[in-house]
Amino acid sequence: MKIFAVGMNYAEHNKELADTLYNKEQKAPDMGHDREPVIFTKADSALLKDHKPFFVPDDMGQIDYEAELVVRICRLGKSVPQRFAHRYYDAVTVGIDFTARDMQRKASQQGLPWTICKGFDGSAVIGDWVPKELLPEVQQLRFRLDKNGKTVQEGWAGDMVFGVDELVAYVSRFFTLKTGDLLFTGTPAGVGPVAIDDHLEGWVEEKKVLDFNCK
């Protein structure tokens, strides 16, 4: 099982990310529509499911939530044409790409990989799966994240820089897709820190799929 994730896939989040990661003396990388998708992976030990608690690391600085639509790969595929990509995922949920923000800032400013700050244990949270046939077309999906009963992120898949089918096709150029692989499709604006005793809940459309505590 592989966990793929997409960075900088919502324009408004890209603006807040650039402000967060880069200082005034540095030029943030191009985050426009003419770039290719930014793909990174998480270790299999990053997966956290079944509403289990997230244990906030005490030695990694600020940990931020990033709510995302996640799709589940359902068949073997390599170099999948974009027009057929919809056949390669069968369910959708809301997930959280937990990020060690202080570590990411340091890595970005030094031009280093994001492997640790994005792929540490428990950093890939997923909710309950919803078969895609029970939902609107994937690029019309709306989702949200609540923290302690207050909505902190809202997203619409139509705002993605790169759509889900485009991402599936792109990833499959470089990695063989296998049944059970996961694709985190990027986060909208509104990311922020979590702390011990925070309660996080996520919805795709009107279906509550995510509900867990931070410890």
Side-chain angles (χ1 to χ4, degrees):
M1 187 271 296
K2 301 184 290 299
I3 303 173
F4 300 105
V6 183
M8 301 180 290
N9 202 30
Y10 286 81
E12 290 303 311
H13 170 64
N14 295 351
K15 295 175 184 177
E16 69 178 359
L17 186 65
D19 292 340
T20 298
L21 298 185
Y22 299 92
N23 57 45
K24 294 180 179 179
E25 288 72 35
Q26 291 180 301
K27 185 179 185 298
D30 175 34
M31 297 181 180
H33 286 68
D34 56 344
R35 62 176 172 85
E36 293 187 326
V38 175
I39 306 297
F40 59 94
T41 60
K42 289 174 174 270
D44 56 2
S45 60
L47 185 64
L48 185 65
K49 59 182 182 177
D50 300 327
H51 310 287
K52 293 179 180 178
F54 171 69
F55 290 90
V56 182
D58 59 7
D59 60 348
M60 296 180 68
Q62 179 175 315
I63 305 296
D64 282 3
Y65 58 79
E66 296 189 7
E68 317 194 0
L69 285 179
V70 184
V71 298
R72 182 177 66 191
I73 301 301
C74 63
R75 61 193 298 182
L76 185 72
K78 175 67 176 176
S79 298
V80 176
Q82 185 174 332
R83 66 183 183 277
F84 297 136
H86 65 280
R87 302 178 181 177
Y88 287 79
Y89 55 93
D90 64 350
V92 180
T93 191
V94 171
I96 295 180
D97 165 23
F98 276 121
T99 302
R101 192 68 71 199
D102 295 334
M103 296 180 70
Q104 185 190 31
R105 182 181 299 108
K106 182 177 179 181
S108 296
Q109 293 176 357
Q110 295 179 356
L112 299 175
W114 292 355
T115 306
I116 295 176
C117 66
K118 285 286 193 177
F120 61 92
D121 287 355
S123 63
V125 184
I126 58 170
D128 300 325
W129 293 107
V130 181
K132 68 178 186 180
E133 61 267 21
L134 300 181
L135 294 166
E137 195 276 327
V138 68
Q139 291 307 142
Q140 297 301 314
L141 291 177
R142 295 188 180 276
F143 61 102
R144 79 175 199 265
L145 178 72
D146 286 4
K147 184 176 81 167
N148 302 326
K150 179 181 178 181
T151 298
V152 290
Q153 280 189 284
E154 294 182 278
W156 176 53
D159 287 332
M160 290 179 181
V161 177
F162 301 99
V164 175
D165 290 357
E166 190 173 4
L167 292 171
V168 170
Y170 183 81
V171 169
S172 74
R173 287 172 50 191
F174 309 99
F175 303 92
T176 298
L177 301 178
K178 295 185 178 182
T179 301
D181 287 349
L182 307 179
L183 176 61
F184 283 67
T185 59
T187 193
V191 304
V194 292
I196 293 173
D197 294 329
D198 279 345
H199 180 211
L200 299 179
E201 301 168 283
W203 281 260
V204 54
E205 293 295 320
E206 298 304 316
K207 297 179 182 293
K208 184 177 178 180
V209 294
L210 193 66
D211 189 337
F212 68 99
N213 295 307
C214 297
K215 295 186 175 181

